[in-house]
Amino acid sequence: QVQLVESGGGLVQAGGSLRLSCGASGSIFSRNAVGWYRQAPGKQRELVATIRSRSGGSTNYADSVKGRFTISRDNTKNTVYLQMNSLKPEDTARYYCNVNVMGFDYWGQGTQVTVSS
């Protein structure tokens, strides 16, 4: 059973920073790509960033967060991070990490990020 636990959310003023963490049971992050998603009230869940397990852990970002967010991983801690800088009110959402293992999607419970203007 794969378990993901997100943390690090909170309330921050526009322009501020937060670092989200996603911890996993076992070493699944070293063998699988990991994604951060977010969902705002009344909106669909959207992909924010991904990091691959191979190729040096190459990353991809949604256009809306490029240059502001950075995804990284620490395989020794079975943890993936999302560093969020220059936060905007439109970044307000619940953030989830995701890993697909053998075709099955696993999600954490999410962590709330609220950016005040």
Side-chain angles (χ1 to χ4, degrees):
Q1 182 80 17
V2 174
Q3 292 185 326
L4 305 177
V5 179
E6 301 96 333
S7 62
L11 174 64
V12 63
Q13 289 188 332
S17 299
L18 285 172
R19 188 177 82 157
L20 307 184
S21 300
C22 175
S25 56
S27 58
I28 59 170
F29 285 167
S30 63
R31 302 188 298 272
N32 298 279
V34 181
W36 278 100
Y37 290 73
R38 66 187 181 186
Q39 188 167 19
K43 296 187 177 181
Q44 289 189 331
R45 190 170 296 188
E46 63 175 353
L47 179 63
V48 176
T50 60
I51 185 166
R52 294 179 62 183
S53 61
R54 299 178 181 178
S55 302
S58 61
T59 58
N60 284 287
Y61 299 92
D63 288 343
S64 59
V65 307
K66 279 181 182 177
R68 300 188 297 122
F69 290 12
T70 303
I71 188 171
S72 62
R73 67 199 304 156
D74 184 340
N75 290 339
T76 64
K77 297 181 178 180
N78 299 323
T79 302
V80 172
Y81 303 98
L82 185 68
Q83 178 66 43
M84 306 186 297
N85 299 328
S86 303
L87 283 162
K88 304 175 181 180
E90 51 263 43
D91 295 318
T92 295
R94 193 163 187 86
Y95 285 71
Y96 300 86
C97 67
N98 166 271
V99 63
N100 186 286
V101 180
M102 299 182 67
F104 191 86
D105 276 322
Y106 293 92
W107 298 90
Q109 83 290 348
T111 185
Q112 179 67 35
V113 172
T114 303
V115 185
S116 63
S117 56

